Amino acid sequence: MIEDEIDLEYCLKSIADYESTGKAYTLDELDEEFDRK
């Protein structure tokens, strides 16, 4: 249940960020940004 709450928090923050900036990222861009390849 705690993980669901954390996921919801991240989701709501992501939506707010998108609405304020209009910028969305692909999974490839996120992998590159966080050097996860």
Side-chain angles (χ1 to χ4, degrees):
M1 185 171 169
I2 291 172
E3 288 178 15
D4 292 339
E5 291 175 9
I6 293 170
D7 289 344
L8 177 59
E9 182 180 324
Y10 282 129
C11 179
L12 294 174
K13 183 182 181 322
S14 295
I15 291 169
D17 287 347
Y18 173 74
E19 289 175 344
S20 70
T21 65
K23 175 69 175 147
Y25 299 92
T26 66
L27 290 177
D28 289 336
E29 290 173 324
L30 292 174
D31 280 342
E32 187 175 308
E33 169 125 1
F34 293 103
D35 195 30
R36 294 180 51 168
K37 289 193 173 195

